Amino acid sequence: MTINEAQDAVIEEFSDFTDWMDKYQMLIDLGNELEPLDEQYKNEQNLIDGCQSRVWLQCDEKDGKLVFTSDSDALITKGIIALLIQVLDNHTPQEIIDADLYFIDKIGLRQHLSPTRSNGLLSMVKRIKAYALAFSLK
């Protein structure tokens, strides 16, 4: 599945709900489905700056594609990073660098987050893109 196909699937999933409480619950459920992050990766290096909550993101390269694992100490934040991983996981660094993450606005996520969570979302996207850039230079 391409990044845009994954984004379109997320948009379709979120369009099933009109109430934002249901959408928040979906984010929480997504976060709960994340594979647990190995404790060795819960370190300062993997901690994303700019998030109100603590969010760790580990990135590894496998067969030329980036694989992300993550965890957070806050349910909605964990759901947000899970959503980003759902869209961007298992793609090449260049695909991630070139990705226009239109799904964030299409599902209304940015508008329904507090300013601090919205900043955290931006920090998560920046970190993922930074990993992609770093791996593209190898």
Side-chain angles (χ1 to χ4, degrees), residues 7-125:
Q7 291 188 89
D8 293 342
V10 167
I11 292 166
E12 191 173 320
E13 255 183 289
F14 271 80
S15 72
D16 291 342
F17 303 102
T18 53
D19 181 14
W20 258 93
M21 292 312 288
D22 293 332
K23 292 180 184 190
Y24 286 132
Q25 185 59 53
M26 192 166 125
L27 280 174
I28 290 167
D29 293 344
L30 276 171
N32 287 333
E33 292 170 12
L34 263 184
E35 290 292 318
L37 183 65
D38 192 308
E39 288 299 318
Q40 71 175 338
Y41 297 124
K42 289 185 180 181
N43 56 45
E44 283 298 313
Q45 179 183 334
N46 288 338
L47 200 58
I48 298 177
D49 293 327
C51 291
Q52 180 181 11
S53 310
R54 292 165 48 96
V55 181
W56 299 271
L57 182 66
Q58 172 65 26
C59 179
D60 296 292
E61 187 177 28
K62 186 175 182 183
D63 300 325
K65 297 186 177 186
L66 300 186
V67 178
F68 298 97
T69 49
S70 186
D71 199 0
S72 175
D73 60 4
L75 293 174
I76 290 178
T77 305
K78 190 172 180 177
I80 293 168
I81 194 67
L83 195 58
L84 289 170
I85 289 172
Q86 180 178 324
V87 169
L88 296 169
D89 193 47
N90 211 23
H91 289 281
T92 67
Q94 196 60 52
E95 288 170 332
I96 294 169
I97 291 166
D98 294 342
D100 169 24
L101 300 179
Y102 57 84
F103 81 97
I104 294 168
D105 289 324
K106 288 260 191 192
I107 65 173
L109 185 58
R110 195 183 324 262
Q111 299 91 302
H112 288 88
L113 294 177
S114 66
T116 52
R117 279 210 179 107
S118 192
N119 287 339
L121 168 62
L122 182 61
S123 295
M124 291 176 207
V125 170

